[in-house]
Amino acid sequence: MGKEKVGFCVVGGLVLVLFLGSSVTSDDKRQRWRKAMISGETMASSMLFNRVPSSIVLPLHGNVYPNGYYNVTLNIGQPSKPYFLDVDTGSDLTWLQCDAPCVHCTEAPHPYYRPSNNLVACMDPICQSLHSNDDHRCENPGQCDYEVEYADGGSSLGVLVRDAFNLNFTNEKRQSPLLALGCGYDQFPGGSHHPIDGVLGLGKGKSSIVSQLSSLGLVRNVIGHCLSRRGGGFLFFGDDLYDPSRVAWTPMSPDAKHYSPGLAELTFDGKTTGFKKLLTTFDSGSSYTYLNSQAYQGLISLLKKELSGKPLREASDDQTLPLCWKGRKPFRSIRDVEKYFKTFALSFMNDRKSKTLLEFPPEAYLIISSKGNACLGILNGTEVGLNDLNVIGDISMQDRVVIYDNEKERIGWAPGNCNGLPKSRSFII
C-alpha cells in the first residue's frame, strides 16, 4: 500500500493516544522503554511580548503522492536549530525526537533535539489538558510525562519541556516565545514511517502551538493552510491574511475534540445518494480521505457505474492504493482522466439551516501512480479503525485555503493559489 495515514488524538487514562495509520495492516507489537532520562526544575518565562495580534506564515514542503505528508521547518531552541515537523491538525501535542539521552529514536533529517533544563510540571494546565481529569496522577510532580501511540505501529514516549520557538510575524517583528513541546526520548517507527524530526500538533487543545501563541496574545487562535497539488504550499496562524467574506463557512461541532463541521450528506453528480448524517472531520495529518464502510462502498458503486463503457479497466496489479484504473496508455496527469469521473460533494448544515457544500472534483480524490494509473484516494475508514468517522484528508484539501477559526468556532474553505507564499497581509482567495 501507499503511504496513506490518518491522524487523530484520543485522550484516555494517563496518556494521549494518537491514531495515525498508513495502511490497512499494522503490527502494534513492540518493546517499550519507559524510563525518563531527564531531570531538572521548571523555569518560568520572563519574556514580555507585544500583544497586538499579528500573523505567522510558514512555507510547507511535501505532497500527497508520493511523499504522503506535508511538513514545515521550525527553528526551536537556544541557540535556535531547524527541525522538520509533520503538520497535523488532527492532534494537539507538538513533539521532537529528543536526545535526553534518546533510548530509541528513528532516522531523522537533523541531529536530535537537545532540551533546555525547563521541564513542564505535572500540575501545569497544559499537562493536565493531555490527560483525563479522573485518572491524572502525578508520580513525579516535577515533570509531565506523555505517550503517543500510532495505529500503524509507531509511538513516541517522553516528557514535556518549554523552549524558544523563533518566529517571524507579519508585522515584521521576530519573537521567540517559550512554548511547551514534547521531548520524545523513545520512538518506534510505524508502517508509514518517513524521516522527520517530529510532529507539529495544530488541534483545538490547550497544548496546541496556536493555542499557546494565542494565550500569549501573539496571534488570534486561527489556523489556515493551503496545500499545493504541485507540492508545497503554506501554513499560517492568525486571521489577517484573508477576506472572510470570500470564504465558505460552516460551524465547528461544539462537542467534537477535532476540527469537525458535524454531520454531512453525500451527494454524487449533484444528486442525493441516501448517505446522510456522516460524522466528518478535517485532518491535515491524513494523506487521503476516508469514508465509513457504507458510504465508501456506495461511492465505489456509483463510480464504477459511471465508468461502465469508458476506456478504463481496473488495474489489479497496481498496489499503490486499493483501487486503480488503467487506460490504453499510461496517464501523465489528472487532466488525462478527469473527463471520465464525476464530482461528488459533502453538504453541511449550518446554524441558519442553510447548507454549505464542499465539492470533490476528480483532482480532489484521484492520484496518478508511478505506473501511470488513476488511483482512488478515498479509502475505507472502517477498515483502519475509524468506525463511522469520515475524514477529509490532504488529497481533498489541495489548492484550497482551509481555515480553522477557533475564535468564532467555524471552519471555512475557498479556492486558493497555494503555489507561493502570500505577498501581502491580505491575499486574495
Side-chain angles (χ1 to χ4, degrees):
M1 302 296 290
K3 295 182 179 180
E4 64 271 17
K5 57 187 174 64
V6 188
F8 301 103
C9 43
V10 178
V11 178
L14 291 175
V15 298
L16 173 73
V17 181
L18 171 69
F19 292 96
L20 181 56
S22 154
S23 63
V24 203
T25 60
S26 63
D27 181 7
D28 289 324
K29 297 179 181 179
R30 60 227 184 238
Q31 177 67 34
R32 295 277 180 80
W33 294 263
R34 298 182 179 276
K35 185 178 179 182
M37 299 291 183
I38 298 181
S39 61
E41 297 181 357
T42 302
M43 299 185 296
S45 169
S46 60
M47 307 178 73
L48 297 176
F49 300 108
N50 175 3
R51 292 185 173 270
V52 178
S54 183
S55 290
I56 301 167
V57 182
L58 299 164
L60 293 174
H61 305 280
N63 51 52
V64 170
Y65 180 81
N67 288 19
Y69 69 106
Y70 287 86
N71 69 279
V72 66
T73 303
L74 284 182
N75 294 292
I76 302 170
Q78 306 170 80
S80 172
K81 295 180 181 179
Y83 299 97
F84 294 163
L85 287 88
D86 201 343
V87 175
D88 187 13
T89 59
S91 63
D92 295 335
L93 182 66
T94 293
W95 60 269
L96 289 173
Q97 297 205 81
C98 183
D99 186 8
C102 188
V103 177
H104 185 199
C105 285
T106 64
E107 179 187 358
H110 297 101
Y112 301 135
Y113 167 68
R114 296 292 297 271
S116 60
N117 198 22
N118 190 356
L119 288 169
V120 174
C122 183
M123 295 307 295
D124 187 289
I126 288 180
C127 182
Q128 292 181 316
S129 73
L130 299 178
H131 303 280
S132 166
N133 291 332
D134 294 337
D135 296 328
H136 189 200
R137 298 188 298 271
C138 290
E139 297 178 2
N140 186 342
Q143 73 180 45
C144 177
D145 299 303
Y146 79 87
E147 183 176 5
V148 182
E149 295 181 348
Y150 294 88
D152 71 340
S155 63
S156 175
L157 185 78
V159 298
L160 258 60
V161 299
R162 281 189 171 89
D163 213 334
F165 281 62
N166 295 274
L167 302 167
N168 292 315
F169 291 77
T170 54
N171 61 8
E172 299 183 352
K173 293 188 177 180
R174 183 177 181 87
Q175 303 205 51
S176 300
L178 290 180
L179 305 176
L181 72 152
C183 163
Y185 56 79
D186 184 359
Q187 272 68 238
F188 192 93
S192 63
H193 173 68
H194 42 257
I196 56 168
D197 297 307
V199 171
L200 179 62
L202 299 174
K204 297 164 64 176
K206 191 172 289 187
S207 64
S208 171
I209 290 299
V210 72
S211 296
Q212 295 186 61
L213 290 170
S214 176
S215 69
L216 292 171
L218 294 176
V219 299
R220 297 199 186 279
N221 197 344
V222 177
I223 300 164
H225 54 68
C226 200
L227 309 177
S228 173
R229 190 167 290 110
R230 298 180 185 177
F234 58 89
L235 171 74
F236 61 90
F237 304 150
D239 64 351
D240 65 348
L241 288 169
Y242 58 89
D243 179 356
S245 68
R246 302 179 68 118
V247 178
W249 296 103
T250 191
M252 281 187 199
S253 176
D255 301 324
K257 293 181 179 179
H258 308 297
Y259 290 122
S260 172
L263 303 178
E265 177 183 1
L266 178 66
T267 63
F268 186 86
D269 196 23
K271 303 178 184 68
T272 183
T273 64
F275 296 103
K276 301 180 179 181
K277 296 185 178 180
L278 300 173
L279 180 59
T280 309
T281 187
F282 286 77
D283 179 25
S284 69
S286 175
S287 304
Y288 298 107
T289 290
Y290 291 77
L291 296 178
N292 69 37
S293 185
Q294 293 80 9
Y296 172 77
Q297 296 297 342
L299 179 64
I300 295 294
S301 296
L302 289 166
L303 287 171
K304 289 184 176 181
K305 181 179 179 181
E306 286 293 331
L307 292 174
S308 178
K310 305 288 175 60
L312 297 176
R313 58 188 179 91
E314 289 187 35
S316 56
D317 59 329
D318 192 337
Q319 300 297 307
T320 303
L321 288 171
L323 184 56
C324 298
W325 294 272
K326 64 175 61 177
R328 294 189 179 99
K329 59 182 181 179
F331 302 120
R332 293 171 296 177
S333 72
I334 299 296
R335 289 182 180 180
D336 293 341
V337 74
E338 62 185 357
K339 61 185 176 183
Y340 303 122
F341 291 85
K342 298 287 188 179
T343 293
F344 68 91
L346 290 174
S347 177
F348 301 96
M349 187 70 74
N350 65 27
D351 290 340
R352 298 184 299 276
K353 305 301 180 184
S354 60
K355 295 181 178 179
T356 305
L357 204 64
L358 177 65
E359 291 191 324
F360 295 72
E363 60 267 24
Y365 64 86
L366 294 174
I367 64 160
I368 302 301
S369 74
S370 60
K371 296 185 177 183
N373 300 320
C375 296
L376 181 64
I378 310 294
L379 305 177
N380 189 331
T382 305
E383 287 186 350
V384 295
L386 296 177
N387 298 318
D388 284 332
L389 187 62
N390 303 274
V391 178
I392 300 167
D394 293 341
I395 190 171
S396 304
M397 296 191 283
Q398 293 174 110
D399 291 344
R400 306 184 206 249
V401 179
V402 180
I403 302 165
Y404 313 88
D405 186 343
N406 292 302
E407 301 276 345
K408 297 182 178 179
E409 297 185 330
R410 59 184 183 174
I411 301 172
W413 53 86
N417 180 4
C418 306
N419 296 322
L421 297 181
K423 293 182 170 57
S424 70
R425 290 187 53 161
S426 181
F427 69 86
I428 297 176
I429 293 175

